Every structure is written in structure tokens, then in C-alpha cells.
Amino acid sequence: MQFTSEQRLDDGVLEREFTLGEIPGILWTPSSASAPVPLILLGHPPLGLHRMYPRLVARARHSAAEGFAAATIELPGSGDRPRWAAAEQARADLRRAIKAGEPVGDEIIDALTLPLVEKSVPEWQAALDALLALPEIGGPVGYSGGVISIGIRLAVVEPRIVAAGFFAGSFVPAAMFEEARRVTIPLHVLLQWDDEGNDRQAALDLFDAFGSKEKTLHANMGGHTGVPQFAGEDAAGFFARHLK
């Protein structure tokens, strides 16, 4: 891991951009930490870190206020990373189906999501290796948001992640439901009831499939971008219970 820039935000949070091989990322650490702190990995959709930065930094600042470090990495084929033809084709097929008012079939969902999971999860694990080697970060580790299928795979294969907060707002391949049954860590799942791009029943079925003994579903009225402020506060309380 190589840090490429550093700035102190107005609330004292230290923001550092880094690269891990060809993978860009950002690390935020609280200013008041006197000992190694827990870490929350901030997932996000494949829209690019620059586009997602305002939301990510807001989430990171909330995490820092709770005494947590937060970090994120650029997903394959997104932002300034090399273009990924298969992913771009899958996104084009998705846009075409939605524009035509057609159902989004399993073939499109699988092509859109499964290769992204296969490529990105090892990168998240490599980033986690590097982050936990820093003296200011000591764990435990949580995962928050992002493409829910990536979070499911990480929850299954990465024992250092002890709790996860998922946003039920992306298409989930049928194969990921079987993996969901193997998830055992505590879960906090947010569902926007009127999310125009999300199959509500599929989200409920996925929640039912999770194997965790502790799993909480927070459903709120509103569309994809209408998440109420108190939903973030509830998620912060979840991580405070499990990471402190």
C-alpha cells in the first residue's frame, strides 16, 4: 500500500488516498484516536470513487465520530481503472431492458454481478491485509453498503469481518441465495420499500435466506435515494454494538 495524498478535513478526520497495485482507495481515520481503532469497509456501487465521493466521505465522517476508521477501494472496471468490456456490455444490456420495460432476466443479472464478485472480493481482502497492517488500525472489521452480492461473498469467505450492514438495492443472482444461507455474522439490512430499481419480494426472500442468528431488517417508505437520516443512525448503533 502506498499513500498518494493526505488532507485533514474540517472535523479533524484524516483522509488519505492510497494505491494497492493498480487499485485506488481512500482511508479515513478519526483525529481523536489514541489506540488502534476498528475498521469499517465502505462498499459502493460501480459508479467510480469520484462520483461516489460525497456519499462515501459523509459515511466515513459518521464512522469517525463513532471512533472507527473507514476505507474503500475502486471496483474493477470503474473510475480510473482499465475499462472492462464484459461489465460494460452487461450494464448496457441492463439499461436496454429497463428502458424497454422488459423484465431483467437471470442472464443479465448473472453477467452483471457474478464476475464483479469474483474480481472484487480478492481485492477487498488484499486491501484488508494492508489496512490491518497499519499501526492505527486494530480491528475488528465491519462491512457496510455497496453491491450486496459482494458483501455476501465477503461475509462468507472473510473471517475478519464480524458484522455487516447491507443495502437491499441491487440485483442478486440466484446463486448468491445459496451463499446467503452460509452467512452467520450479525446483519443489519436496509430496504427502501418503494425502490423503483429493486425487486422487493426478492429482497425479502434474500433476508429470509441469510443464515445469521442475529439479522435485522429496517424497511422504510421511499425510493432508492430516499433513505431517511435516522436509518444511518440505526446502522451506526449496529456497528457500535459489534465493533466496540
Side-chain angles (χ1 to χ4, degrees):
M1 173 181 284
Q2 180 178 356
F3 288 106
T4 57
S5 71
E6 176 179 314
Q7 66 169 330
R8 184 75 64 176
L9 305 182
D10 54 17
D11 54 2
V13 174
L14 179 62
E15 177 184 282
R16 287 174 285 176
E17 295 186 359
F18 64 84
T19 56
L20 188 68
E22 66 170 16
I23 307 167
I26 310 173
L27 170 64
W28 296 270
T29 47
S31 60
S32 58
S34 57
V37 296
L39 172 67
I40 297 178
L41 302 176
L42 300 181
H44 55 90
L47 300 175
L49 283 184
H50 294 302
R51 182 173 171 183
M52 291 302 301
Y53 176 81
R55 298 184 202 176
L56 288 166
V57 72
R59 292 163 61 193
R61 283 173 144 165
H62 284 300
S63 297
E66 296 291 333
F68 305 139
T72 192
I73 58 173
E74 187 73 88
L75 293 175
S78 297
D80 295 328
R81 295 189 64 178
R83 296 298 89 194
W84 183 10
E88 293 187 351
Q89 181 61 55
R91 292 170 193 162
D93 291 342
L94 174 65
R95 290 192 296 268
R96 184 164 52 249
I98 292 174
K99 185 176 181 179
E102 300 171 352
V104 179
D106 290 343
E107 184 176 348
I108 293 177
I109 294 173
D110 288 355
L112 185 73
T113 307
L114 293 177
L116 180 63
V117 171
E118 295 295 333
K119 283 179 174 286
S120 62
V121 166
E123 295 182 350
W124 275 110
Q125 291 182 291
L128 186 53
D129 290 340
L131 290 162
L132 288 177
L134 298 173
E136 61 267 39
I137 298 176
V141 181
Y143 177 86
S144 175
V147 177
I148 195 170
S149 293
I150 293 175
I152 291 170
R153 175 67 60 80
L154 279 168
V156 171
V157 304
E158 183 46 73
R160 293 171 293 185
I161 295 176
V162 302
F166 292 151
F167 182 65
S170 54
F171 295 106
V172 180
M176 297 305 302
F177 279 72
E178 187 57 40
E179 291 196 37
R181 295 182 176 91
R182 296 163 52 199
V183 174
T184 58
I185 61 174
L187 296 179
H188 178 102
V189 182
L190 175 64
L191 171 63
Q192 286 300 103
W193 201 248
D194 306 301
D195 190 337
E196 59 281 358
N198 186 40
D199 184 330
R200 182 196 303 163
Q201 189 57 54
L204 294 173
D205 291 343
L206 179 63
F207 180 79
D208 188 49
F210 285 124
S212 304
K213 291 182 178 179
E214 180 188 334
K215 55 181 180 179
T216 302
L217 178 67
H218 282 237
N220 297 289
M221 304 305 291
H224 189 81
T225 59
V227 180
Q229 182 176 348
F230 61 77
E233 296 167 356
D234 292 338
F238 167 80
F239 283 115
R241 288 197 305 277
H242 293 287
L243 300 186
K244 287 188 176 178

